[in-house]
Amino acid sequence: MKANTSRRSRFVFGRNPSAYERARMPFSRSTVQWALSRTFFRPGDKVLEIGAGTGQLTGELLAAGANVTVLEPIDTLADSLQRIHKEGDAGELNVSRDTFEDFVAPDTFALVVAANSFHWIDPAISYQKSADILDKDGRLCLFWYFPILADAELQRRVNSVVRTLGLDDLVRDPVGYGGTLQSLLSEGRDEAEESGYVRCLDWVLEPRRLSYSVAEYCDLLTTYASAKDLTELRKSLFSSVLHDTSGVEIVIYEYACVAESINRSGR
Ligand SMILES: C[S@@+](CC[C@H](N)C(=O)[O-])C[C@H]1O[C@@H](n2cnc3c(N)ncnc32)[C@H](O)[C@@H]1O
């Protein structure tokens, strides 16, 4: 996914950290394993995660045995991250509140990873700095996910509510959504390659289905950067669209892209 042209909203995600933690689902083990299997990662390796939120990707990295340094500049989210280490996790967790731009890497990393966050970093910095701090065989692994209601008619009704509230970037066109994402993600890979610092090696886009309660779904919408008027959004959705249903089915398209640095090998 290409970098956002405006980065004004990049630190708004801490408004309601418990809603964020509840609603933003963890990445699936299969997608994370798919990405790790296309790298030289071994348990105990050092991994830098940029913009970890409340650990949507971090949990799987720890379970895989990574020694993860996470960068999370929003204090409320970083506080939640401190708690995510679970019994049975093989890896180690170190939480830093630096931005990626300000972070001074003490060493190089086997992996630099980011989930739903790399597009918030200035692309004039993100690719070059990632390439610079990777080990010789290191990999940049970029993850995003994109939820849409499985019921196209319900999604259209939600679209009309969010449009009325001026929250146009919450609109999801159910027609050909997978194809829309393919184009968006292909533009992102072009941006990465045009930086001259990384080369995309492999990528995957997989849909999976999840059941959400209506409250969780409203929480999910409100975690997106544009959804500023949370009260109004919840009220409108409950009163006009979701009043006669207790739950919704969501299709979440998970994307992972594995890239190598061409800093040391090519230039
Ligand atoms: C949409 S959230 C993604 C959080 C989590 N990884 C997830 O998948 O839900 C974007 C995250 O990027 C972080 N972020 C934004 N700009 C950043 C920067 N310059 N350096 C490091 N993190 C940044 C924000 O604090 C936020 O936690």
Side-chain angles (χ1 to χ4, degrees):
M1 187 162 152
K2 276 173 82 170
N4 284 340
T5 45
S6 164
R7 284 180 281 284
R8 265 178 314 156
S9 307
R10 66 188 184 157
F11 297 134
V12 301
F13 300 97
R15 285 175 301 220
N16 186 344
S18 47
Y20 198 98
E21 195 165 1
R22 265 196 316 274
R24 287 276 190 132
M25 58 295 275
F27 278 81
S28 66
R29 178 154 298 180
S30 59
T31 299
V32 178
Q33 285 301 326
W34 177 93
L36 293 181
S37 71
R38 279 149 181 83
T39 72
F40 296 99
F41 171 82
R42 295 281 174 277
D45 279 351
K46 282 183 282 177
V47 173
L48 180 70
E49 185 183 354
I50 304 167
T54 54
Q56 283 67 18
L57 177 63
T58 325
E60 281 302 322
L61 298 172
L62 292 171
N67 285 339
V68 191
T69 298
V70 300
L71 304 181
E72 183 40 73
I74 301 175
D75 278 332
T76 49
L77 301 184
D79 291 344
S80 302
L81 273 169
Q82 305 274 10
R83 300 191 300 265
I84 71 164
H85 223 248
K86 293 197 187 73
E87 205 177 319
D89 281 347
E92 297 296 327
L93 178 66
N94 166 37
V95 178
S96 156
R97 294 167 197 238
D98 283 340
T99 62
F100 184 53
E101 293 86 335
D102 290 343
F103 176 65
V104 179
D107 206 347
T108 54
F109 292 88
L111 303 178
V112 173
V113 305
N116 296 316
S117 57
F118 206 69
H119 59 296
W120 289 109
I121 318 280
D122 182 349
I125 298 172
S126 58
Y127 299 106
Q128 179 175 8
K129 186 161 180 177
S130 300
D132 282 349
I133 62 176
L134 281 172
D135 295 341
K136 191 165 176 297
D137 292 327
R139 295 288 183 261
L140 173 65
C141 299
L142 300 180
F143 298 81
W144 279 275
Y145 57 49
F146 306 89
I148 186 168
L149 288 169
D151 178 339
E153 187 43 42
L154 192 56
Q155 180 64 58
R156 284 193 192 93
R157 284 158 56 204
V158 169
N159 287 348
S160 82
V161 170
V162 295
R163 264 200 200 99
T164 309
L165 295 173
L167 302 170
D168 284 9
D169 58 343
L170 292 182
V171 172
R172 303 285 177 265
D173 184 354
V175 179
Y177 190 59
T180 306
L181 292 179
Q182 291 284 9
S183 314
L184 184 83
L185 296 166
S186 157
E187 287 171 12
R189 291 193 298 275
D190 288 347
E191 178 188 86
E193 304 245 343
E194 283 159 15
S195 76
Y197 291 100
V198 299
R199 181 185 299 117
C200 299
L201 299 172
D202 208 352
W203 55 88
V204 69
L205 179 66
E206 282 288 344
R208 66 179 170 123
R209 269 176 96 104
L210 291 176
S211 301
Y212 264 51
S213 70
V214 167
E216 286 167 338
Y217 174 63
C218 290
D219 279 344
L220 178 65
L221 290 187
T222 60
T223 65
Y224 282 86
S226 69
K228 294 195 185 68
D229 193 348
L230 313 183
T231 321
E232 194 55 33
L233 175 61
R234 277 173 210 273
K235 219 166 61 193
S236 305
L237 284 176
F238 272 117
S239 64
S240 58
V241 179
L242 301 168
H243 49 89
D244 57 354
T245 176
S246 60
V248 294
E249 289 287 301
I250 292 180
V251 178
I252 175 156
Y253 288 83
E254 283 191 343
Y255 172 74
C257 176
V258 177
E260 68 178 345
S261 155
I262 53 178
N263 221 1
R264 295 173 168 84
S265 54
R267 298 175 327 136

